[in-house]
Amino acid sequence: MAAAPLTDRVPDDELLRRAAAGDASSFTELFRRRQPDVFRFAVHMTDSASTADDVVQEVFLVVMRDGARYEPGRATVVSWLCGIARNCIRQRLDRDRRLTSVDFANDDREPGSDAGRLMDPLADLLRAERIEMLRRAVRTLPVPYREAVVLCDLQEMPYADAAVALGCPIGTVRSRLHRARAMLAARLSASSRSPVPCVMTEGAIP
Amino acid sequence: MSCREFEADVVDLAREAQMSVASAARVGEHLEQCAGCAARVARERQLTRALKAVADSTPASSRAAAIEARLLSAFAERHGAASPMVQTGRPAFLTPAARVWLAAAAVAVFAVAAWQGAARWRPADEERPAATRAEAGPAAPAQTTAGSEIGSGAPSLAAKPEIPPRAELRSAAAAREPATGPAAASRAARPRAEPRAWAEVLRFVTLPTAIGLPALESGRIVRVDVPTAMLPAYGLEVAPDSQSGMVEADVLVGQDGQPRAIRFVTLDSESRRRQ
């Protein structure tokens, strides 16, 4: 039977099904499509780009091994992947409480498309400073609250999917998110009186 | 709605999360009457925008390609599948690590061939049928090894009979597609409007070791024997009863003596019968 063309129209769960059946192209497509989601979740949770890469690899090794165990009606693929990532991250956090920091100023990020907006360097620097401040505040949240913020706010995942990824009821996700945002607001208020040093990177300013 | 009840919905409101029509109406009514809660929503919206900025400024992984290559290698080992690049027939799909892996396979092929002795290497013109020689096109004049050498000109599409692959030796992609039927007929009838690259014209697979070499100005096609165990590295399936045999392959060697591409011809059983 001819294989259907792999395009964005192929749903994640179908790609996963094909990958579990041994189709390397589907596995590749799924990796390319969902690796950024897993990486972002992991990098915000672990505070380390290299650890996040390791988590990505672990997650897709699990996909390779246990892809057939995915239940389409129970969760979206991305929430299932984030659930796997969460387990990997928790194991790492337990093993290594102190992970190295991400050096966002020296990474290889792509230049932004809105570089032309850098008309006011001071304003951009202040904006970058606020972003860095918030990023640090997220990093210092307790893990359950950080998970909720990262999935719901940074990943913009619906409550239902986040609940699957976190293995808890939707109400718990909402309450954790509510509490986490209150913590962030309090920490930002405190941090604004002692701003952190920040290196402005062109293109990083939204 | 009281301020206390409003507080339960303030995050959803600031995040523009889905809310029932009834809840939205109650929240809207309360906001019109309560400046404190309106300010509270404004602060939460500010936080939402700031979190969005954090998300947008998060860099992508710089090692995604390397991870993908490692995973695909593991996937191939696990499923006994062929190289994904060759499976799909899209050279651009080959990741850097996969290129290294394929290069290693290519080196192994040539090592085996060298071990078997130069006597087994023979120019294609000595044994290839006349129809096959014509594949090199008019740029390879008959007096110059009768088609085994390729001139600097672009190969012609006019005289290009193909060496039909044997049923046992086929790409994984081809294995998934029917060789007959309307789809196959459609493919066969499809006109070739544009000249293609030499490797594609001659049904060769470019060797990773050829990447970065000078442009092909002239070359020779050399027929070699390759262990069937190496075939999966080229995305080819091997019949179970042929796992330990040899196959013939044509290697395109450039003007500098460097191999550029490879094309598999027959299985070992066929070779032995002919010898």
Side-chain angles (χ1 to χ4, degrees), chain A residues 1-2 19 22 25 28 32 35 39 44 53 57 64 104 107 134-135 152-154 156 159 174 178 181, chain B residues 7-8 11-12 15 44 48 50-52 55 57-59 61 63 68 70-72 75 78 88 93 176:
Chain A
M1 185 178 72
S25 298
T28 305
R32 291 179 178 178
Q35 171 271 336
F39 176 82
H44 286 300
D53 279 327
Q57 183 165 300
M64 198 182 299
F104 284 96
D107 58 46
L134 180 54
R135 196 195 309 278
C152 297
D153 277 338
L154 300 186
E156 298 183 347
Y159 289 142
R174 289 184 76 231
H178 197 283
R181 289 172 64 107
Chain B
E7 180 64 23
V11 170
D12 288 351
R15 298 180 64 249
E44 285 294 333
T48 299
L51 286 166
K52 178 78 164 55
S57 66
T58 305
S61 170
R63 290 169 51 205
E68 179 183 317
R70 280 201 296 272
L71 286 168
L72 287 177
F75 192 95
R78 182 176 184 84
T88 56
F93 198 64
R176 288 197 301 268

Side-chain angles (χ1 to χ4, degrees), chain B residues 25 34 38 43 73 80 122 137 145 201 212 231 245 251-252 258:
Chain B
C34 181
R43 286 196 299 275
S73 179
R122 53 198 183 280
T145 64
V201 169
L231 297 188
V251 175
L252 179 60
Q258 296 292 325

Side-chain angles (χ1 to χ4, degrees), chain B residues 29-40:
Chain B
E29 188 178 343
H30 181 77
L31 277 177
E32 288 178 0
Q33 301 166 356
C34 181
C37 286
R40 172 90 175 87

Side-chain angles (χ1 to χ4, degrees), chain B residues 37-109:
Chain B
C37 286
R40 172 90 175 87
V41 171
R43 286 196 299 275
E44 285 294 333
R45 284 184 173 144
Q46 196 174 17
L47 180 59
T48 299
R49 285 194 296 272
L51 286 166
K52 178 78 164 55
V54 169
D56 290 346
S57 66
T58 305
S61 170
S62 58
R63 290 169 51 205
I67 294 170
E68 179 183 317
R70 280 201 296 272
L71 286 168
L72 287 177
S73 179
F75 192 95
E77 283 182 21
R78 182 176 184 84
H79 293 280
S83 162
M85 182 280 290
V86 184
Q87 271 190 316
T88 56
R90 292 177 292 170
F93 198 64
L94 198 60
T95 60
R99 289 191 185 107
V100 172
W101 178 65
L102 201 51
V107 168
V109 167

Side-chain angles (χ1 to χ4, degrees), chain B residues 228-265:
Chain B
T228 52
M230 298 303 302
L231 297 188
Y234 295 93
L236 297 168
E237 293 179 348
V238 183
D241 59 348
S242 303
Q243 294 285 347
S244 59
M246 304 288 287
V247 295
E248 288 186 329
D250 290 339
V251 175
L252 179 60
V253 181
Q255 69 278 4
D256 49 3
Q258 296 292 325
R260 294 297 208 286
I262 192 166
R263 172 183 61 188
F264 292 96
V265 183

Side-chain angles (χ1 to χ4, degrees), chain B:
Chain B
M1 172 179 270
S2 67
C3 292
R4 187 184 180 87
E5 291 169 330
F6 178 83
E7 180 64 23
D9 290 328
V10 68
V11 170
D12 288 351
L13 188 64
R15 298 180 64 249
E16 298 180 355
Q18 283 189 338
M19 193 179 287
S20 69
V21 176
S23 294
R26 286 199 304 274
V27 164
E29 188 178 343
H30 181 77
L31 277 177
E32 288 178 0
Q33 301 166 356
C34 181
C37 286
R40 172 90 175 87
V41 171
R43 286 196 299 275
E44 285 294 333
R45 284 184 173 144
Q46 196 174 17
L47 180 59
T48 299
R49 285 194 296 272
L51 286 166
K52 178 78 164 55
V54 169
D56 290 346
S57 66
T58 305
S61 170
S62 58
R63 290 169 51 205
I67 294 170
E68 179 183 317
R70 280 201 296 272
L71 286 168
L72 287 177
S73 179
F75 192 95
E77 283 182 21
R78 182 176 184 84
H79 293 280
S83 162
M85 182 280 290
V86 184
Q87 271 190 316
T88 56
R90 292 177 292 170
F93 198 64
L94 198 60
T95 60
R99 289 191 185 107
V100 172
W101 178 65
L102 201 51
V107 168
V109 167
F110 287 105
V112 169
W115 175 75
Q116 289 175 334
R120 300 195 68 172
W121 288 63
R122 53 198 183 280
D125 61 293
E126 292 179 12
E127 294 191 14
R128 292 169 66 190
T132 306
R133 292 174 201 159
E135 287 186 33
Q143 61 269 29
T144 58
T145 64
S148 66
E149 292 194 359
I150 298 177
S152 57
S156 168
L157 288 170
K160 198 182 70 62
E162 298 173 348
I163 301 174
R166 294 177 56 77
E168 308 94 310
L169 181 60
R170 56 200 179 123
S171 73
R176 288 197 301 268
E177 295 189 11
T180 58
S186 172
R187 283 195 300 274
R190 194 178 303 146
R192 290 170 176 166
E194 298 291 334
R196 295 170 294 172
W198 54 266
E200 189 181 356
V201 169
L202 299 180
R203 297 176 63 82
F204 276 87
V205 175
T206 305
L207 288 168
T209 51
I211 295 171
L213 291 177
L216 184 72
E217 296 172 357
S218 62
R220 303 182 70 215
I221 295 174
V222 180
R223 184 155 294 179
V224 299
D225 294 327
V226 177
T228 52
M230 298 303 302
L231 297 188
Y234 295 93
L236 297 168
E237 293 179 348
V238 183
D241 59 348
S242 303
Q243 294 285 347
S244 59
M246 304 288 287
V247 295
E248 288 186 329
D250 290 339
V251 175
L252 179 60
V253 181
Q255 69 278 4
D256 49 3
Q258 296 292 325
R260 294 297 208 286
I262 192 166
R263 172 183 61 188
F264 292 96
V265 183
T266 63
L267 275 179
D268 178 55
S269 55
E270 178 70 17
S271 304
R272 282 197 299 266
R273 276 197 295 273
R274 293 196 334 199
Q275 287 175 351

